[in-house]
Amino acid sequence: MDEKGLMKIEHGLNIFSKLEAEGPVLHDPALGVYEKDLLGPYRYICEEGGKEIRSKFIKAFNQWLEIPQETCDMVRRVTQGLHNASLLIDDIQDSSKLRRGRPCAHLVYGVAHTINCANHVYFLAFQEVMDTGNSDATRIFNKEMVELHRGQGFDIWWRDGSHQRAPTVEEYNMMVKLKTGGLFRLSLGLMAAFSKN
């Protein structure tokens, strides 16, 4: 399907989104004026934006789950924050040079700063979920973060591990479900934890 056809479907489902319309990204107000420095790599990767697939997914599923807009916004901030933070780490692990047509954040800010920033964002996302007081949401967040790291771990191990063997098809499919499907499971799980439906 081409971009025009996709946009038509998105408009028909009322899930069309643009980054500017989606609200603020995760932030750490306790840092004050230092936030722009310590979270620089995260801000850098967010500037370029992405396809906003997770935001569209959240909007689409909210047609059924009917959670308040404020909660949808929190789920979007958390999942987009985790996605962008994971890209910061992934680019380092893969020795990537470009992300979204620009030099990767670790090449601009340094590896140590970028790793620390990405981890900082993981905990900002966790704090947002904890602040809701919803124990199911906190449990879901933790479970999916562990699963995501298991998937990434398998991917790295099969690529760089000492045994240098390729995964079986079943192992590869397991890794994809853990890694690639994780943020979709997380966003849907968080939404379900807040839904009365």
Side-chain angles (χ1 to χ4, degrees):
M1 174 171 295
D2 65 3
E3 188 70 21
K4 189 174 180 179
L6 184 60
M7 287 176 65
K8 185 176 180 181
I9 291 170
E10 290 172 354
H11 281 289
L13 293 172
N14 194 28
I15 61 170
F16 183 72
S17 64
K18 290 207 174 283
L19 186 60
E20 310 85 52
E22 292 303 319
V25 296
L26 290 171
H27 65 97
D28 187 351
L31 287 176
V33 298
Y34 300 107
E35 182 179 47
K36 67 179 175 38
D37 299 319
L38 294 185
L39 295 182
Y42 172 65
R43 300 286 180 210
Y44 176 80
I45 199 168
C46 289
E47 283 172 5
E48 207 47 41
K51 296 180 283 285
E52 291 292 318
I53 297 297
R54 281 153 225 62
S55 295
K56 294 171 185 177
F57 178 84
I58 290 164
K59 285 183 177 184
F61 271 91
N62 203 37
Q63 301 290 322
W64 295 283
L65 295 172
E66 299 178 340
I67 62 174
Q69 186 59 48
E70 180 179 300
T71 306
C72 263
D73 292 344
M74 180 274 297
V75 172
R76 185 207 54 81
R77 271 191 313 278
V78 165
T79 55
Q80 286 299 110
L82 292 173
H83 172 67
N84 284 317
S86 72
L87 293 178
L88 294 172
I89 297 294
D90 193 58
D91 286 344
I92 293 168
Q93 292 171 332
D94 294 343
S95 300
S96 298
K97 304 289 183 228
L98 294 174
R99 168 68 63 184
R100 300 175 179 161
R102 296 183 352 170
C104 291
H106 65 279
L107 299 175
V108 175
Y109 292 89
V111 171
H113 185 173
T114 303
I115 290 171
N116 190 74
C117 174
N119 289 334
H120 190 154
V121 172
Y122 289 158
F123 287 105
L124 290 174
F126 183 60
Q127 187 65 52
E128 275 228 29
V129 174
M130 282 186 49
D131 286 350
T132 67
N134 185 319
S135 60
D136 287 339
T138 301
R139 181 186 51 74
I140 290 163
F141 181 96
N142 188 66
K143 177 183 181 291
E144 292 303 337
M145 287 299 289
V146 169
E147 295 288 288
L148 285 162
H149 282 80
R150 285 178 180 149
Q152 181 72 354
F154 281 123
D155 190 15
I156 294 167
W157 177 248
W158 287 321
R159 184 191 68 201
D160 301 341
S162 61
H163 62 310
Q164 295 292 315
R165 76 168 178 86
T168 65
V169 171
E170 292 79 19
E171 288 172 329
Y172 183 82
N173 287 336
M174 172 197 60
M175 179 271 295
V176 169
K177 286 178 186 173
L178 291 171
K179 180 179 163 179
T180 308
L183 289 176
F184 290 106
R185 282 191 314 274
L186 175 63
S187 59
L188 185 55
L190 290 176
M191 293 176 76
F194 290 99
S195 178
K196 292 181 173 58
N197 291 346

